[in-house]
Amino acid sequence: MDSRLKETWESCVKCGICRSVCPVFKEEKSEPYVARGHITLLSELVSGNVDFSEYEAKDYLYKCLLCTTCVEACPNNSETDTIVEIARHEVIKHHGLPLYKKIMAILLKDRALMDFAFRNATLFSSFLFKRNDDSSRASLKTKFETPIMEKGRLIPKLTKKTFLQKYKDYSDNYGYLSLFPGCLINYTYTEIGDAFVNILKKLDISFRVPQKQLCCGAPVYFAGNFEDAAILARKNIDLFSRVNSRYIIVMEPTCASMIKNDYPKLFMYLEDKEYEKKARDLAKKVLDPVKFLYDNTDILDRLKHLDMKTTYHDPCHLKRAQNIKDEPRAFIKKASNFTEMKEADRCCGNGGTFSIDYRETSLKIASRKVEHIENSKADYLVTGCSACIMQLSEILHRHEDDHIKTIHTLELIDMALDGGNNEG
Ligand code: SF4
Ligand code: SF4
């Protein structure tokens, strides 16, 4: 086991500050589900006092959103997220992965297979799902109970043409920017990617969409499956190191954080120095789309004011992992009537497969946001992450708040660049 891990758990002074901020602890009220508990558990596991094969160890280590709220609050900068990720890697050596995560890893490593699976899912979607156009964002509702989803769960509608297919003609052009949409925008929320493309066209900024890009690997990495995550990471690093664009715009905050922060960590852990260096070099070119627009264009001055009442939710991997919080707010304030909600940076509870594995806890965490959203009196909940849009539109639907629409910051910027009443 890595000596850096030992340093991390020794840095924890057991002050308990993480208990006051952890969204999972707030629901579970149990020490093993908080950062301090994870750190203690891992030190016990490594010392051999607790057996990795015990079920409880597995459950405790997976019931964490990796939201890094505890890392931000910790006075000693204990990197609990790293501890949990590495511990999960140890856990799967003993327990293996659940079947659906094994299938997910196979699909994510092969674009053609993934496209095939989604094409078929689209064909059969009317059998499994019904349309739900009334919710906070158009979506599908499961008709039946399935092994990984309960009846009545909302999922994003599936796109007929993926983002990569839509912009196939832009694959080989020179582009000042190279675009990395991420799986959710590629297969479901393509309209968010379209909004960014619209903005780039209006600003006359050239871009390309490399076709051979794969999933960033976050879903497998966060499951502890470092081997498959490394396969995906190496392919993306090789592809994007070759493109001659100034920036690689990664539209999903989780993917951006994975490429910028977790690729170097992953290769450091696997002791692959060649790819660790390549990952660090690539990280310098990775940028969030809203941050790019804020830092590199005059678009803020060009936005019109729209007659919309908005509030904003900070995605964990945008605010905490990339320190991007003021830039989206600057755009939203210019384009609409903005009210800051309470606890805007509180995790929405999605956490990728956390929302499948620990559905009840995930929904309880999301429910805590509803009151703050309602109190803001906003008609539009704006955020910068598709996974948050998926989670929050579902929880608003469950609370009969479908009149509050969930939109992406890029969609608001695109609308405000088109028109508005110019009062701002
Ligand atoms: S806040 Fe940091 S130092 Fe304090 S108990 Fe939690 S992890 Fe340990
Ligand atoms: S990463 Fe988030 S969910 Fe996990 S222990 Fe820290 S605060 Fe809790």
Side-chain angles (χ1 to χ4, degrees):
M1 179 79 55
D2 201 295
S3 62
R4 281 159 304 147
L5 273 186
K6 196 161 176 278
E7 278 167 31
T8 305
W9 74 62
E10 281 175 354
S11 71
C12 172
V13 294
K14 310 281 184 282
C15 66
I17 288 175
C18 47
R19 286 169 56 121
S20 63
V21 295
C22 175
V24 174
F25 180 78
K26 222 162 211 143
E27 306 307 333
E28 302 296 337
K29 304 275 188 297
S30 171
E31 183 72 14
Y33 294 115
V34 74
R36 184 170 67 176
H38 295 319
I39 290 171
T40 307
L41 177 60
L42 189 67
S43 64
E44 292 295 302
L45 286 165
V46 172
S47 339
N49 297 336
V50 178
D51 190 340
F52 264 107
S53 61
E54 283 177 26
Y55 171 75
E56 289 78 7
K58 176 171 167 253
D59 189 51
Y60 295 148
L61 290 166
Y62 277 87
K63 210 169 195 178
C64 165
L65 291 151
L66 295 173
C67 65
T68 66
T69 314
C70 54
V71 181
E72 186 184 48
C74 176
N76 283 7
N77 303 317
S78 292
E79 290 176 29
T80 320
D81 55 334
T82 307
I83 289 247
V84 170
E85 287 155 9
I86 295 176
R88 286 178 182 179
H89 184 232
E90 294 298 316
V91 167
I92 65 163
K93 286 182 192 164
H94 294 82
H95 292 277
L97 284 165
L99 181 63
Y100 88 90
K101 288 188 183 172
K102 282 185 193 157
I103 296 171
M104 185 170 71
I106 294 168
L107 289 174
L108 294 178
K109 285 187 291 179
D110 187 330
R111 173 68 66 200
L113 205 58
M114 187 84 168
D115 285 355
F116 176 78
F118 266 85
R119 216 169 26 247
N120 282 296
T122 311
L123 286 177
F124 294 107
S125 70
S126 60
F127 173 69
L128 290 170
F129 308 103
K130 57 181 173 199
R131 282 183 67 105
N132 194 66
D133 292 334
D134 300 335
S135 63
S136 175
R137 187 156 185 129
S139 48
L140 300 172
K141 198 176 229 179
T142 49
K143 286 183 187 173
F144 315 104
E145 185 87 25
T146 71
I148 58 168
M149 269 185 243
E150 79 278 17
K151 185 180 170 194
R153 177 165 186 175
L154 292 192
I155 64 155
K157 61 185 172 42
L158 306 174
T159 183
K160 289 202 170 69
K161 207 170 191 182
T162 69
F163 181 85
L164 292 180
Q165 288 160 357
K166 243 176 153 172
Y167 297 100
K168 212 159 115 192
D169 291 347
Y170 290 84
S171 59
D172 299 323
N173 299 1
Y174 165 74
Y176 184 63
L177 307 179
S178 277
L179 307 190
F180 185 103
C183 296
L184 272 177
I185 287 182
N186 190 41
Y187 290 107
T188 61
Y189 294 122
T190 43
E191 64 275 16
I192 295 171
D194 291 340
F196 187 54
V197 167
N198 290 343
I199 296 166
L200 294 178
K201 287 184 175 172
K202 287 173 199 166
L203 299 177
D204 207 16
I205 295 172
S206 63
F207 66 92
R208 58 177 301 193
V209 183
Q211 295 288 301
K212 291 198 171 151
Q213 58 186 281
L214 293 171
C215 164
C216 66
V220 284
Y221 175 69
F222 294 152
N225 179 356
F226 286 9
E227 288 68 28
D228 285 326
I231 291 172
L232 288 161
R234 286 192 189 99
K235 288 192 176 166
N236 282 324
I237 289 171
D238 287 344
L239 174 69
F240 282 98
S241 301
R242 281 198 305 271
V243 302
N244 53 357
S245 302
R246 174 67 186 86
Y247 295 113
I248 295 148
I249 301 295
V250 180
M251 295 190 211
E252 294 292 359
T254 301
C255 309
S257 171
M258 177 73 196
I259 298 173
K260 277 205 287 197
N261 305 325
D262 296 321
Y263 277 11
K265 249 181 3 186
L266 172 66
F267 289 116
M268 191 165 72
Y269 181 76
L270 295 176
E271 296 180 356
D272 181 339
K273 290 206 180 324
E274 182 194 347
Y275 273 88
E276 186 190 334
K277 176 169 185 328
K278 286 184 179 179
R280 291 195 192 285
D281 290 342
L282 185 69
K284 291 177 198 150
K285 293 176 89 176
V286 170
L287 207 51
D288 167 78
V290 172
K291 172 87 175 146
F292 165 76
L293 294 172
Y294 186 86
D295 287 347
N296 297 279
T297 73
D298 63 351
I299 190 173
L300 184 62
D301 300 328
R302 292 171 55 179
L303 291 192
K304 304 278 175 25
H305 190 88
L306 303 167
D307 190 17
M308 291 164 70
K309 285 191 270 178
T310 57
T311 190
Y312 179 70
H313 161 73
D314 285 289
C316 298
H317 288 136
L318 197 60
K319 184 192 174 233
R320 280 181 280 280
Q322 300 183 72
N323 195 25
I324 299 173
K325 54 185 193 313
D326 299 331
E327 297 86 345
R329 284 180 171 78
F331 286 120
I332 300 165
K333 284 177 186 169
K334 183 78 196 294
S336 65
N337 303 308
F338 174 74
T339 303
E340 189 78 62
M341 71 160 117
K342 252 179 93 181
E343 297 184 332
D345 66 349
R346 189 184 169 73
C347 177
C348 70
N350 179 285
T353 53
F354 181 98
S355 70
I356 296 172
D357 298 337
Y358 302 105
R359 184 77 180 131
E360 213 179 299
T361 310
S362 169
L363 289 174
K364 277 194 212 158
I365 293 169
S367 293
R368 287 186 184 259
K369 290 215 76 119
V370 173
E371 193 187 334
H372 299 324
I373 297 169
E374 286 170 349
N375 287 343
S376 77
K377 306 276 183 248
D379 301 318
Y380 290 86
L381 168 63
V382 188
T383 188
C385 164
S386 300
C388 299
I389 286 179
M390 182 164 71
Q391 174 86 341
L392 293 171
S393 57
E394 164 147 37
I395 205 69
L396 287 170
H397 178 64
R398 283 172 178 259
H399 285 255
E400 300 181 351
D401 276 326
D402 291 322
H403 60 283
I404 304 173
K405 302 294 171 204
T406 45
I407 61 168
H408 196 283
T409 316
L410 290 169
E411 292 176 303
L412 180 65
I413 294 173
D414 184 32
M415 282 190 266
L417 199 54
D418 269 336
N421 57 22
N422 210 7
E423 285 168 7

